[in-house]
Amino acid sequence: MKIGSLEHRDTFCSHFASTYLDYDPEALPWPVLDEAALQRLRQVPFWEEVFYSERRAGAIVAAFTETVSDPVLKEALALQGEEETRHAKLIRVMVERYGLDAPERPIDDLGTDIETSFKDFGFGECFDSFVGFGLFKIAWQSEFLPREIMQIFSMLMYEETRHIVFFINWMAYTEARKGWLARTVSPLVTLRYYLRALHYKIRFARRGQKVNDGKNLAAIQVGMFLDGFNFRRFLEDCYAENSRRMSVFDPELLRPSFLPQLTDVALKALRLWGRRAELETRSGPLPPLYGAHPGSAATRQPESS
Ligand SMILES: [Fe+2]
Ligand SMILES: [Fe+2]
């Protein structure tokens, strides 16, 4: 299937529509939580942010849908907008039901260029979902909350996975339709949007630090689920969960590949580092490597030993 063809458009749009889940957040099987589970749920520091992000997501996707003329894309985008709005409703139902601290903040300006806002939102979702896959797996395995409520979040994760698969295909389709130049620079465009997404996340984490008395919000979030947090294990969980969740989608569709590839490289480096550190603890410092090119990293002496 040629990326950018009408066949491509019809495939990713019809796949998105055919995997739609029909439910009403009010009618979901919300469990009665005991006091300990209720406390754990209330301790989660990001409900206000999640509630806000879902409401903003619904507004961005709806506003962008208005500007799209292709009827097939418009219909699929309208469905995504409805799903984002339903996510906000789901969070609202949960906040009210369990008395969580998540006041409704007014939505910031959506930006003057709604297409750019939609792309920023889409790449941000790819970023959040990849990290969310790892967090969710840790929370699931540590039985942080009862299974019934985790099943509801699991459905939400599935919908977010559908959104990012749809978005990556929409992005590739849109870029490919612009011609060979846009196709050639497309990886650079992707990189630019991921860097912007990273920038927004760092800004958000800094804001969170202030709110949480200077403690790191991300560390608090992960630390809540797992004592003795291990960064390599977390990356491995993100990577493995991403592969597992993506495996259920039509193999013909594109998937987000930037973060999984970057993580794969980082994990290989961390494993190598870990193996060397392990050998050094067992047998002392390792001898230099012979046969390496003079001046290469392998022949340089460590600065301190
Ligand atoms: Fe959402
Ligand atoms: Fe989404």
Side-chain angles (χ1 to χ4, degrees):
M1 186 171 64
K2 191 167 178 283
I3 300 304
S5 65
L6 290 179
E7 186 197 358
H8 177 218
R9 179 199 68 178
D10 293 348
T11 306
F12 72 79
C13 290
S14 65
H15 182 272
F16 187 66
S18 68
T19 51
Y20 172 77
L21 300 175
D22 189 19
Y23 66 89
D24 173 4
E26 304 256 16
L28 289 172
W30 296 101
V32 175
L33 298 182
D34 62 26
E35 201 46 44
L38 208 51
Q39 281 313 316
R40 279 199 297 277
L41 190 68
R42 286 176 182 160
Q43 267 173 25
V44 175
F46 47 72
W47 293 130
E48 183 184 337
E49 198 58 38
V50 172
F51 186 32
Y52 174 80
S53 304
E54 296 292 0
R55 285 167 49 241
R56 189 166 192 271
I60 288 177
V61 182
F64 177 59
T65 305
E66 289 299 308
T67 68
V68 174
S69 52
D70 181 315
V72 178
L73 292 177
K74 199 178 181 88
E75 197 183 331
L77 283 161
L79 184 63
Q80 190 194 349
E82 278 169 33
E83 290 185 14
E84 296 296 9
T85 304
R86 190 171 57 177
H87 285 173
K89 186 178 173 194
L90 188 148
I91 302 295
R92 188 195 302 274
V93 168
M94 182 177 74
V95 164
E96 284 169 3
R97 190 176 180 101
Y98 299 115
L100 309 181
D101 181 22
E104 187 167 337
R105 296 203 314 255
I107 297 176
D108 292 340
D109 180 22
L110 300 182
T112 44
D113 178 357
I114 195 66
E115 184 168 338
T116 302
S117 300
F118 177 70
K119 287 177 184 170
D120 275 332
F121 157 69
F123 283 105
E125 269 211 310
C126 293
F127 203 98
D128 289 342
S129 298
F130 190 75
V131 174
F133 292 154
L135 280 175
F136 187 79
K137 185 179 173 193
I138 293 171
W140 182 275
Q141 287 179 337
S142 63
E143 297 184 359
F144 180 72
L145 289 168
R147 278 284 184 261
E148 298 93 325
I149 202 158
M150 293 301 282
Q151 293 282 9
I152 293 175
F153 296 151
S154 188
M155 190 176 67
L156 209 116
M157 297 289 295
Y158 169 67
E159 288 186 325
E160 295 300 6
T161 316
R162 280 172 61 248
H163 292 175
I164 60 175
V165 170
F166 172 76
F167 172 73
I168 287 296
N169 281 276
W170 171 84
M171 187 74 194
Y173 173 80
T174 309
E175 293 295 302
R177 305 280 299 177
K178 288 182 190 163
W180 68 270
L181 185 61
R183 256 200 308 272
T184 315
V185 298
S186 160
L188 289 175
V189 173
T190 300
L191 177 65
R192 185 172 148 256
Y193 275 103
Y194 271 116
L195 288 175
R196 280 161 69 101
L198 183 66
H199 172 74
Y200 295 137
K201 301 299 156 199
I202 291 171
R203 233 173 46 187
F204 165 66
R206 287 212 182 114
R207 237 182 22 232
Q209 261 182 342
K210 279 188 201 144
V211 176
N212 288 281
D213 298 331
K215 289 174 237 151
N216 184 291
L217 184 66
I220 294 170
Q221 288 168 2
V222 181
M224 282 178 52
F225 300 130
L226 184 78
D227 291 332
F229 170 67
N230 174 311
F231 182 63
R232 188 173 120 188
R233 185 187 151 192
F234 175 62
L235 277 188
E236 279 167 351
D237 281 340
C238 292
Y239 185 83
E241 268 304 278
N242 178 71
S243 312
R244 195 173 69 87
R245 287 178 182 272
M246 290 297 166
S247 69
V248 302
F249 291 89
D250 184 339
E252 280 209 291
L253 296 177
L254 297 172
R255 287 130 165 81
S257 58
F258 180 77
L259 287 175
Q261 279 172 5
L262 194 68
T263 305
D264 190 30
V265 172
L267 279 173
K268 279 181 182 139
L270 284 171
R271 279 184 204 121
L272 256 178
W273 178 270
R275 220 167 289 153
R276 190 179 166 91
E278 202 181 301
L279 280 171
E280 284 194 353
T281 10
R282 254 193 261 145
S283 60
L286 294 174
L289 295 171
Y290 290 98
H293 185 74
S296 73
T299 59
R300 281 199 293 272
Q301 290 296 315
E303 280 170 24
S304 60
S305 58

